[in-house]
Amino acid sequence: MKNVLIVAKPLSPVSLSMERQAKSPETLDYIPGSSLRGALARGYLDTFGIDGDFEKLFLNENVVFPNLYPSSKDTQGYVLPLTAAA
Protein backbone atom coordinates (compact mmCIF):
# COMPACT_ATOMS: atom_id res chain seq x y z
CA MET A 1 0.00 0.00 0.00
CA LYS A 2 1.26 3.46 -0.89
CA ASN A 3 0.71 6.36 1.51
CA VAL A 4 0.64 9.98 0.41
CA LEU A 5 1.05 12.93 2.80
CA ILE A 6 -1.75 15.46 2.34
CA VAL A 7 -1.46 19.04 3.52
CA ALA A 8 -4.55 21.17 2.96
CA LYS A 9 -4.88 24.89 3.65
CA PRO A 10 -8.39 26.25 3.10
CA LEU A 11 -8.45 29.49 1.12
CA SER A 12 -11.67 30.47 2.89
CA PRO A 13 -13.60 29.27 5.94
CA VAL A 14 -14.93 25.73 5.74
CA SER A 15 -18.18 24.66 7.39
CA LEU A 16 -19.25 21.03 7.14
CA SER A 17 -22.46 19.99 8.92
CA MET A 18 -22.64 16.99 11.20
CA GLU A 19 -26.15 16.20 9.93
CA ARG A 20 -27.78 17.07 6.61
CA GLN A 21 -31.28 17.69 7.97
CA ALA A 22 -30.44 19.55 11.21
CA LYS A 23 -32.35 22.76 11.98
CA SER A 24 -29.31 24.36 13.60
CA PRO A 25 -26.40 22.47 12.08
CA GLU A 26 -23.32 21.82 14.15
CA THR A 27 -20.08 21.87 12.22
CA LEU A 28 -17.40 19.22 12.19
CA ASP A 29 -13.91 19.86 13.59
CA TYR A 30 -12.33 18.03 10.65
CA ILE A 31 -12.77 17.47 6.93
CA PRO A 32 -14.29 14.04 6.25
CA GLY A 33 -12.53 11.76 3.79
CA SER A 34 -15.67 11.69 1.64
CA SER A 35 -15.51 15.49 1.29
CA LEU A 36 -11.81 15.28 0.42
CA ARG A 37 -12.57 12.62 -2.21
CA GLY A 38 -15.36 14.75 -3.70
CA ALA A 39 -13.25 17.91 -3.87
CA LEU A 40 -10.31 16.11 -5.48
CA ALA A 41 -12.60 14.28 -7.92
CA ARG A 42 -14.25 17.57 -8.97
CA GLY A 43 -10.84 19.15 -9.57
CA TYR A 44 -9.70 16.11 -11.56
CA LEU A 45 -12.85 16.15 -13.71
CA ASP A 46 -12.49 19.88 -14.37
CA THR A 47 -8.89 19.36 -15.48
CA PHE A 48 -8.84 16.00 -17.24
CA GLY A 49 -12.45 14.83 -17.63
CA ILE A 50 -13.45 11.20 -17.17
CA ASP A 51 -10.70 8.81 -18.17
CA GLY A 52 -9.29 5.47 -17.03
CA ASP A 53 -7.30 7.08 -14.24
CA PHE A 54 -10.40 8.74 -12.77
CA GLU A 55 -11.96 5.36 -12.10
CA LYS A 56 -8.73 4.01 -10.60
CA LEU A 57 -8.32 7.02 -8.31
CA PHE A 58 -11.85 7.84 -7.20
CA LEU A 59 -14.13 4.85 -7.83
CA ASN A 60 -11.82 2.06 -6.69
CA GLU A 61 -12.80 0.70 -3.26
CA ASN A 62 -9.13 -0.02 -2.47
CA VAL A 63 -8.26 3.70 -2.55
CA VAL A 64 -8.89 5.29 0.85
CA PHE A 65 -9.34 9.01 1.49
CA PRO A 66 -8.79 9.64 5.21
CA ASN A 67 -10.33 12.36 7.35
CA LEU A 68 -8.20 15.51 7.58
CA TYR A 69 -7.61 16.66 11.16
CA PRO A 70 -6.12 19.98 12.34
CA SER A 71 -2.39 19.96 12.95
CA SER A 72 0.63 22.22 13.21
CA LYS A 73 4.14 22.08 11.74
CA ASP A 74 5.37 20.07 14.73
CA THR A 75 2.56 17.53 15.02
CA GLN A 76 0.64 15.14 12.88
CA GLY A 77 -3.12 15.51 12.52
CA TYR A 78 -5.08 14.94 15.71
CA VAL A 79 -8.58 15.34 17.05
CA LEU A 80 -9.02 18.54 19.05
CA PRO A 81 -10.70 18.19 22.44
CA LEU A 82 -13.99 20.02 22.92
CA THR A 83 -12.26 22.27 25.46
CA ALA A 84 -10.19 23.75 22.61
CA ALA A 85 -13.29 25.22 20.96
CA ALA A 86 -13.74 28.96 21.36
Side-chain angles (χ1 to χ4, degrees):
M1 173 169 47
K2 181 179 180 179
N3 290 316
V4 177
L5 175 66
I6 298 172
V7 177
K9 279 188 169 184
L11 300 177
S12 61
V14 176
S15 177
L16 298 165
S17 299
M18 293 178 109
E19 298 179 31
R20 291 182 184 194
Q21 301 294 328
K23 290 184 180 180
S24 59
E26 295 182 50
T27 61
L28 297 171
D29 295 333
Y30 62 96
I31 298 174
S34 58
S35 296
L36 173 62
R37 178 191 304 245
L40 293 174
R42 175 80 267 162
Y44 189 95
L45 287 173
D46 290 346
T47 304
F48 303 108
I50 295 180
D51 60 11
D53 287 334
F54 179 83
E55 188 170 321
K56 290 176 192 173
L57 292 170
F58 300 106
L59 303 178
N60 183 340
E61 64 185 40
N62 294 324
V63 177
V64 178
F65 289 82
N67 296 335
L68 298 181
Y69 296 100
S71 66
S72 68
K73 284 183 176 180
D74 302 325
T75 64
Q76 292 185 1
Y78 58 92
V79 178
L80 291 175
L82 289 176
T83 55

